[in-house]
Amino acid sequence: MTVDVVVPTVGRDSLRLLLAALADADGPAPGRVLVVDDRRDRSGALPLGGVAGVSVIEGRGAGPAAARNLGWRRAAAEWVAFLDDDVVPGPSWLADLARDLAGLEAEVAASQGLVRVPMPAGRRPTDWERNVRGLETARWATADMAYRRSVLEEVGGFDERFPRAYREDADLGLRVVRSGYRIVPGRRVVTHPVRVAGGTVSLRVQAGNADDALMRGVHGRGWRASAGVPRGRRARHLAVTGAGLVGLGAWVVARRGGLVTQPARWVAGLAGAGWLVGTVELALARIVPGPRSAGEIARMSATSVLMPPVATWYWLSGWVRLPWTLADRERAPRLAGRPVTSGSADRPMSSPPKAVLFDRDGTLVADVPYNGDPGRVVLMPGGGRRWIGSGRPEWPRRWCPTRAGLRGGICGSSR
């Protein structure tokens, strides 16, 4: 078993800690450590910390999905272990990784490591700290995920139409699982410290709502349940935003006067009350579990006013752009040089079929009732020879009896 490690980076200082921890970890060394430099501005040096044996790949600045694709396609090992550049592997990470991957069945495509997010001592975590802590329970998070390279090749790798570090890992995991593979939990551990973020970080991360629209377009209505993603607050954000817009519009109408002044005032009052209740509920839901400091209360109050319309804007913009995004075959996952195509809205085809079944009805295969002899499987002229006989010689052919033959005892179940 061989393993290469791929780390996409935007040049964070935490990369130095990651590489140093990886170099000092106990266990078999990886074949290669590939760091994909996904910075758009490469005027400064990457913080590699002087760790030897690290190969740097120049990325395109196109996001983590594209960077990881560059990394695993350059890898040559059987397994590719992805690490985000803001995690720190534990002292036994390499040994634990080897144990996690040893002896896995062929149907297991990936092993997910454990992510631990340290919380502050002596106070309650802030809204941002609780947000980052969600990585501890996120399904298929690539903060620490090892995939078989052959499976990545089969499903086409990451979908580069996801431009952010959001949903690109869930999309890949969903395509892998729907291709018939399993993703299992491992025992290795990485630490994910909470990096310092500005007061508007809760608004910036709302851009991921556009990626939710893409997930719906690619994987269908039930993608959240399939990927283990909570529903979140989108319905409430839409309701609060709608109430605010209706209230504002009614207030403008009431200001102009006329016959509809009084009804417009009633509508403005009711809609405004709904907006206020929704905004206060959101602010309290974020303030109460936190440290309740003056600064945190002020940030949560201000951003709770803006969060519903910002989230709604990104979500609607994702839907507006969805037809063009889905038509972007250049960035879509590619299978053997071809982009992935969808079988249906709810069940996209994410990999080539593993088997093609033909019935012996006299159209493609000669009709021999209850045939138990492979030598009597004969292709019909025309369609049968064209469709079945044109396959590659190395493609295996198998035959199986009909269910009626099994029920009637003509062919044993072992056949």
Side-chain angles (χ1 to χ4, degrees):
M1 178 188 67
T2 56
V3 181
D4 287 343
V5 175
V6 171
V7 183
T9 184
V10 290
R12 297 188 183 106
D13 289 337
S14 55
L15 175 65
R16 181 184 295 105
L17 298 176
L18 183 156
L19 295 176
L22 197 61
D24 294 338
D26 297 329
R32 301 177 70 188
V33 176
L34 303 167
V35 173
V36 184
D37 184 357
D38 204 44
R39 299 175 299 170
R40 295 185 178 180
D41 180 9
R42 298 191 178 91
S43 56
L46 274 179
L48 300 178
V51 177
V54 176
S55 300
V56 177
I57 302 172
E58 186 173 315
R60 307 194 308 271
R68 293 192 190 103
N69 280 342
L70 286 173
W72 74 258
R73 289 186 173 119
R74 191 75 62 88
E78 176 187 358
W79 288 89
V80 179
F82 295 103
L83 291 172
D84 284 351
D85 69 350
D86 51 1
V87 304
V88 181
S92 61
W93 188 83
L94 288 173
D96 295 336
L97 174 66
R99 281 190 287 269
D100 287 343
L101 302 183
L104 289 180
E105 299 174 344
E107 66 180 19
V108 176
S111 168
Q112 181 175 359
L114 300 173
V115 179
R116 295 287 179 256
V117 181
M119 290 290 103
R123 65 166 174 82
R124 295 178 177 182
T126 63
D127 179 70
W128 171 238
E129 290 166 342
R130 296 194 306 273
N131 180 283
V132 177
R133 189 171 60 184
L135 285 171
E136 294 186 340
T137 55
R139 186 185 296 184
W140 306 330
T142 44
D144 180 355
M145 178 72 85
Y147 273 101
R148 291 186 191 272
R149 192 186 186 285
S150 59
V151 174
L152 292 171
E153 188 76 39
E154 179 180 335
V155 302
F158 291 87
D159 191 335
E160 298 179 14
R161 294 173 296 184
F162 291 91
R164 287 166 284 271
Y166 196 75
R167 301 298 187 228
E168 85 291 355
D169 45 9
D171 164 76
L172 174 60
L174 195 52
R175 286 186 285 119
V176 166
V177 169
R178 284 181 170 177
S179 296
Y181 294 102
R182 290 191 296 125
I183 299 175
V184 299
R187 296 184 179 181
R188 64 193 184 277
V189 179
V190 298
T191 301
H192 191 301
V194 180
R195 66 179 183 269
V196 177
T200 60
V201 63
S202 59
L203 301 179
R204 296 197 302 270
V205 299
Q206 299 307 314
N209 284 278
D211 301 317
D212 284 350
L214 179 55
M215 286 291 286
R216 171 65 183 275
V218 172
H219 295 288
R221 185 184 299 273
W223 73 267
R224 285 185 177 272
S226 300
V229 176
R231 296 198 63 84
R233 302 182 64 94
R234 177 166 301 122
R236 297 183 187 184
H237 287 338
L238 290 172
V240 171
T241 302
L245 291 175
V246 170
L248 181 61
W251 178 80
V252 170
V253 171
R255 291 269 297 175
R256 291 180 176 178
L259 297 177
V260 296
T261 298
Q262 190 59 40
R265 289 175 178 171
W266 292 340
V267 172
L270 290 174
W275 173 86
L276 181 62
V277 168
T279 302
V280 170
E281 184 275 331
L282 173 61
L284 290 176
R286 302 171 66 202
I287 293 171
V288 171
R292 306 180 193 175
S293 64
E296 179 75 356
I297 291 174
R299 284 189 295 272
M300 295 302 98
S301 300
T303 55
S304 293
V305 173
L306 298 173
M307 185 179 294
V310 170
T312 300
W313 168 262
Y314 278 116
W315 184 66
L316 293 176
S317 66
W319 278 105
V320 170
R321 295 194 306 267
L322 185 61
W324 290 271
T325 305
L326 292 176
D328 184 357
R329 311 317 299 171
E330 289 298 319
R331 293 188 297 161
R334 291 182 173 274
L335 307 173
R338 299 186 305 277
V340 174
T341 56
S342 297
S344 67
D346 292 327
R347 181 84 175 188
M349 179 184 293
S350 57
S351 65
K354 292 182 172 61
V356 180
L357 307 182
F358 296 98
D359 196 6
R360 55 116 195 96
D361 61 356
T363 303
L364 299 176
V365 179
D367 187 358
V368 180
Y370 308 123
N371 180 25
D373 181 4
R376 300 179 68 189
V377 177
V378 179
L379 301 181
M380 295 294 291
R385 297 191 183 280
R386 182 169 67 252
W387 289 105
I388 304 177
S390 62
R392 297 178 181 174
E394 67 271 20
W395 287 356
R397 270 82 165 176
R398 299 293 183 265
W399 63 274
C400 59
T402 63
R403 286 174 293 172
L406 287 170
R407 287 196 301 268
I410 298 173
C411 298
S413 59
S414 63
R415 302 294 295 273

